[in-house]
């Protein structure tokens, strides 16, 4: 019995005549993607609202659907609806029989219109049939067809009081006419449904035995494999990207050393008032122990003195030692809330007192020789004040690294003896610094945007003379700071709302890519190389590569990043970059969205339309062909709008000719090719580390099971019914890796790029070769056992 949810569904599908399991898989995926239902089975189901059929054929499902007034449409109805994002009107997709160039016969339309209008309940309304078919299985089949058209069907002998209107018999015998009612052969059912048009249809009534066999193959259970892959993906996402083992030596402030005597800080204030700053620092340094905090006003006064720019090198070095000892002895991530408040009070501008971010922003701005500080500071930049603010930045970074370590190392736990639980992650100093209470659901807060802006100023060198090199020391700190805050925010939210986290990371990456569009390719590559978080680096290089492509008019597919997308879109785009005449940074201003749609066929459509393209022609590189990229407002490409096989073949041939010219061309833009290759090198390395493909971090037994499944079945068959998209993506990446092992994607890189001897391009070719070898090793291991 169908569930109530299925009964209420407006799109419930059955298939007939679709023998290719890969195509069937693709259609089922598309149906579920649009919240439809696939009923399946080898016999007609009354709950079906749509029958998918490639052409007219006399199967039980086709006859029953026509008799019941259901929609009978071609597979393109599902595929085009998936591309549209919602169900399209069915009228253009009804199955038809051509009658010359100007007309066609639609077998199901007449009965569908009459049923939907309420004129009849079914094609056989009012029929009372005595069904006498010797073959029991075929008798049951004809009974379902007749009942689909609301006929009342009786077996022999019928009730005595019933007036039989039709006697359907097979075979026809001499005594068939002796029964009460007109006698007809089974072909009368077809003649009645389609009238004189049944002559043009040229079919014999068959059942769907082959479909029953196919269904048994499709129903292979890979649900356990999905669970294993899901667990692996979750484990990968939770794996710490940044490890700081130095924090293992930091002390618990609730267990002060037994030999420490309580220190009297009363004389420090007098020393500061008298200008004895070195003496005050020495006294504080000798009294920093776990559980003992120097009064905050004294540290604030010392910071205020340092901001005046007259502090000596000895003062700065001693103050730096004190702050480091304070952090070691009293780390705020192990302490109660009052210790965090202590750090919050100290780590702000003594003059403005606006919190941690304005103080941190001032430190960065002053190091950039910028006047954008929280209040006016001595200028031009004084060496001692520059040293002080560099120390401030280093301390903030160390503090935030410690807070990240505390959540990756599991230190958010019950404190010994106190029974007090550690405050939430949202109460950390890092969280308070970069996000207000209204911004915590988004990664790209105002402070994070400003941090990226300051990072670009440091990288561009436009804060001073035009020939000044980027401030790499400052950039290194800022990039580490960005990595830490991204990892902290990601780990805080990933278990609460994974989609929110992925969107936040993508928004930051796109913002970074657009902000960095004026940097030289050399500086950009160096910045990317210095990013310590592989999670952040992967998102950034993906966005940067898409932005580079956007500058010369290459539109890439908008689906999430995958290994298949890299092979089918990014590698061909690299050849286009090599052929670009120029690379003008300012042109990216017109690229308001980096996630633009392209006209290439989606994976669902590619798998489903293989049979529509002559053998050998479906290997065309659509991503690198200008003609095949063009799409209308609904995202439909030229191939989508061309149904004639010969015309499709001609279009694909033209694309192949264009690709061959591209492959034989020389590299025209060496800098752009090297920049694109650099981004793809980082992207492929980080992608393998992040996703954990078979042969790396995925357990060998699970990886081998997945590879065996993909060797024996299509990707669509393996992932049918899977609900976890991350597990589906991992299976898809593995499938692409196996394709790469067989050399399937070698043609995506043009020959000019393969032969180029630039450093980054050579490394990229080595990485692609290494991935191919990894896939070949997997296949060899599976075949061995």
């Amino acid at each position: 019995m169908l569930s109530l949810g299925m009964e209420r569904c407006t799109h419930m599908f059955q298939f007939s005549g679709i023998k290719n399991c890969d195509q069937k898989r693709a259609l089922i995926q598309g149906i579920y993607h649009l919240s439809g239902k696939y009923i399946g089975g080898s016999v007609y189901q009354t709950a079906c609202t749509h029958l998918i059929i490639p052409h007219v054929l006399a199967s039980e499902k086709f006859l029953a659907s026509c008799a019941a007034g259901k929609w009978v449409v071609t597979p393109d109805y599902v595929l085009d609806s998936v591309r549209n994002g919602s169900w399209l009107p069915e009228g253009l997709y009804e199955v038809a029989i051509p009658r010359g160039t100007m007309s066609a016969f639609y077998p199901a339309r007449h009965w569908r219109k009459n049923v939907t209008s309420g004129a009849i309940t079914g094609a056989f309304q009012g029929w009372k049939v005595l069904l006498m078919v010797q073959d029991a299985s075929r008798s049951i089949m004809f009974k379902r067809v007749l009942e689909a058209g609301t006929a009342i069907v009786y077996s022999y002998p019928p009730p005595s009081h019933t007036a039989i209107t039709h006697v359907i018999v097979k075979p026809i015998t001499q005594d068939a006419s002796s029964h009460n009612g007109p006698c007809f052969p089974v072909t009368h059912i077809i003649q009645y449904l389609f009238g004189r048009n049944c002559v043009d249809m040229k079919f014999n009534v068959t059942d769907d035995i082959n479909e029953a066999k196919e269904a048994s193959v499709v129903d292979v259970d890979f649900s356990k494999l999905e669970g294993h892959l899901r667990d692996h993906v979750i484990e990968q996402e939770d794996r710490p990207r940044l490890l700081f083992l130095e924090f293992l030596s930091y002390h618990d402030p609730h267990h002060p050393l037994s030999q420490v005597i309580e220190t009297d800080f009363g004389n420090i204030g007098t020393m500061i008032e008298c200008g004895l700053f070195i003496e005050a620092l020495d006294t504080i340094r000798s009294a920093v122990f776990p559980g003992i905090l120097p009064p905050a006003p004294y540290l604030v006064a010392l910071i205020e003195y340092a901001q005046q720019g007259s502090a000596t090198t000895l003062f700065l070095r001693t103050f730096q030692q004190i702050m480091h000892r304070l952090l070691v002895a009293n780390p705020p991530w192990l302490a109660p809330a009052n210790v965090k408040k202590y750090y919050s009070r100290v780590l702000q501008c003594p003059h403005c007192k606006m919190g941690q971010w304005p103080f941190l922003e001032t430190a960065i701005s002053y190091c950039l020789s910028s006047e954008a500080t929280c209040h006016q500071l001595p200028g031009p930049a004084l060496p001692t004040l520059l040293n002080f603010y560099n120390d401030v930045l280093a301390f903030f970074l160390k503090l935030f690294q410690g807070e990240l370590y505390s959540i990756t190392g599991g230190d958010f736990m019950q404190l010994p003896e106190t029974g007090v639980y550690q405050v939430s992650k949202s109460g950390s100093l890092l969280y308070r610094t970069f996000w207000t209470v209204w911004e915590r659901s988004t990664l790209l807060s105002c402070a994070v945007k400003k941090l990226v802006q300051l990072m670009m100023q440091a990288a561009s060198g436009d804060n001073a003379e035009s020939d000044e090199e980027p401030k790499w020391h400052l950039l290194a700190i800022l990039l580490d700071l960005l990595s830490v805050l991204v990892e902290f925010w990601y780990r805080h939210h990933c278990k609460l709302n994974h989609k929110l986290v992925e969107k936040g990371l993508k928004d930051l990456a796109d913002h970074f890519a657009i902000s960095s569009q004026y940097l030289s390719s050399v500086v950009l590559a160096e910045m990317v190389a210095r990013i310590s978080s592989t999670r952040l680096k992967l998102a950034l290089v993906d966005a940067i590569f898409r932005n580079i492509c956007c500058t010369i008019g290459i539109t890439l597919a908008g689906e999430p990043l995958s290994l298949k997308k890299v092979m089918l879109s990014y590698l061909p785009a690299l050849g286009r970059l090599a052929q670009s005449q120029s690379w003008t940074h300012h042109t990216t201003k017109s690229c308001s969205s980096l996630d633009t749609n392209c006209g290439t066929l989606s994976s669902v459509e590619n798998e489903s339309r293989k049979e529509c393209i002559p053998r050998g022609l479906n290997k065309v590189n659509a991503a690198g062909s200008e003609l095949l990229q063009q799409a209308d407002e609904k995202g439909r490409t030229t191939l989508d709008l061309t149904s004639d096989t010969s015309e499709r073949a001609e279009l694909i041939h033209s694309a192949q000719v264009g690709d061959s010219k591209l492959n034989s061309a020389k590299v025209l833009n060496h800098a752009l090719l090297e920049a694109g290759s650099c981004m793809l090198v980082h992207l492929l390395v980080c992608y393998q580390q992040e996703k954990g493909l078979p042969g790396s971090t995925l357990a060998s037994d699970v990886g081998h099971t997945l590879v065996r499944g993909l060797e024996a079945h299509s990707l669509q068959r393996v992932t049918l019914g899977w609900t976890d998209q991350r597990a589906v993506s991992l299976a898809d990446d593995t499938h692409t890796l196996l394709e790469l092992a067989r050399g399937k994607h070698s043609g995506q890189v043009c020959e000019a790029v393969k032969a180029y001897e630039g450093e980054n391009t050579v490394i990229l070719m080595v990485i692609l070769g290494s991935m191919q070898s990894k896939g070949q090793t997997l296949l060899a291991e599976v075949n061995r056992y």
Side-chain angles (χ1 to χ4, degrees), residues 17 123 179 268 273 283 348 386 496 624 653:
H179 300 289
I268 296 179
E273 290 176 359
T283 303
Q348 61 178 339
L386 282 174
L496 302 176
H653 176 70

Side-chain angles (χ1 to χ4, degrees), residues 444-461:
L444 198 59
S445 64
C446 291
V448 174
K449 288 182 180 179
K450 186 63 178 178
L451 178 64
V452 173
Q453 177 185 338
L454 293 170
M455 196 179 301
M456 298 310 156
Q457 291 180 21
S460 64

Side-chain angles (χ1 to χ4, degrees), residues 152-443:
I152 300 175
V153 181
Y154 300 99
S155 56
Y156 187 83
S160 58
H161 63 276
T162 301
I164 300 297
T165 61
H166 297 74
V167 179
I168 305 293
V169 296
K170 185 179 181 181
I172 298 178
T173 60
Q174 292 182 351
D175 64 338
S177 58
S178 62
H179 300 289
N180 296 330
C183 184
F184 302 95
V186 291
T187 54
H188 178 71
I189 297 174
I190 300 174
Q191 293 170 349
Y192 179 81
L193 284 175
F194 309 121
R196 61 183 179 85
N197 297 290
C198 68
V199 177
D200 300 327
M201 299 170 76
K202 298 178 182 178
F203 53 59
N204 294 318
V205 179
T206 61
D207 54 21
D208 286 342
I209 296 176
N210 290 334
E211 290 193 39
K213 292 180 180 178
E214 290 174 13
S216 64
V217 177
V218 171
D219 292 336
V220 176
D221 184 14
F222 287 102
S223 57
K224 290 184 179 179
L225 178 60
E226 180 193 17
H228 292 314
L229 295 181
R230 180 180 60 247
D231 294 341
H232 169 71
V233 171
I234 293 174
E235 182 180 351
Q236 280 290 112
E237 291 175 347
D238 198 50
R239 174 179 54 85
R241 268 61 175 181
L242 304 177
L243 298 175
F244 310 104
L245 299 181
E246 66 268 26
F247 294 104
L248 288 170
S249 62
Y250 282 36
H251 302 287
D252 181 355
H254 292 272
H255 287 75
L257 301 178
S258 57
Q259 68 270 27
V260 176
I261 302 175
E262 186 172 349
T263 305
D264 181 14
F265 294 102
N267 59 338
I268 296 179
T270 303
M271 295 179 185
I272 294 175
E273 290 176 359
C274 296
L276 302 174
F277 298 107
I278 300 298
E279 291 78 4
L281 288 172
D282 288 337
T283 303
I284 294 175
R285 180 172 55 181
S286 64
V288 175
F289 293 101
I292 299 177
L293 297 170
Y298 299 154
L299 293 181
V300 171
L302 293 172
I303 291 176
E304 187 172 17
Y305 169 70
Q307 278 188 323
Q308 297 172 9
S310 55
T312 64
T313 302
L314 177 61
F315 175 93
L316 295 178
R317 183 170 63 249
T318 307
F319 185 77
Q320 182 185 27
Q321 293 173 353
I322 289 174
M323 296 302 294
H324 179 72
R325 287 189 181 185
L326 187 64
L327 191 63
V328 172
N330 298 276
W333 55 87
L334 290 175
N338 65 309
V339 177
K340 288 182 173 58
K341 291 180 180 178
Y342 174 86
Y343 279 95
S344 297
R345 184 178 177 186
V346 171
L347 296 176
Q348 61 178 339
C349 176
H351 183 269
C352 302
K353 297 181 180 180
M354 294 188 296
Q356 281 70 59
W357 171 246
F359 188 42
L360 184 58
E361 183 182 5
T362 290
I364 300 172
S365 297
Y366 196 84
C367 292
L368 290 172
S369 302
S370 170
E371 297 180 357
T373 54
C374 58
H375 69 281
Q376 188 173 2
L377 292 170
L382 300 176
T384 54
L385 195 50
L386 282 174
N387 291 336
F388 169 72
Y389 278 127
N390 272 302
D391 291 342
V392 168
L393 292 176
F395 182 80
F396 267 108
L397 177 60
K398 181 65 67 175
L399 171 61
F400 295 154
Q401 286 174 339
E403 290 193 318
L404 175 60
Y405 163 80
S406 70
I407 63 172
T408 56
D411 289 334
F412 274 80
M413 58 183 70
Q414 189 173 8
L415 297 174
E417 298 182 359
T418 65
V420 178
Y421 279 86
Q422 182 73 317
V423 297
S424 67
K425 301 170 191 176
S426 59
S428 67
L429 291 169
L430 187 153
Y431 224 75
R432 293 176 182 176
T433 301
F434 289 99
W435 292 276
T436 66
V437 293
W438 299 278
E439 295 177 321
R440 291 181 178 179
S441 62
T442 178
L443 174 58

Side-chain angles (χ1 to χ4, degrees), residues 78-90:
V78 174
L79 301 178
D80 289 350
S81 293
V82 169
R83 182 167 49 255
N84 181 62
S86 60
W87 293 116
L88 292 165
E90 295 90 340

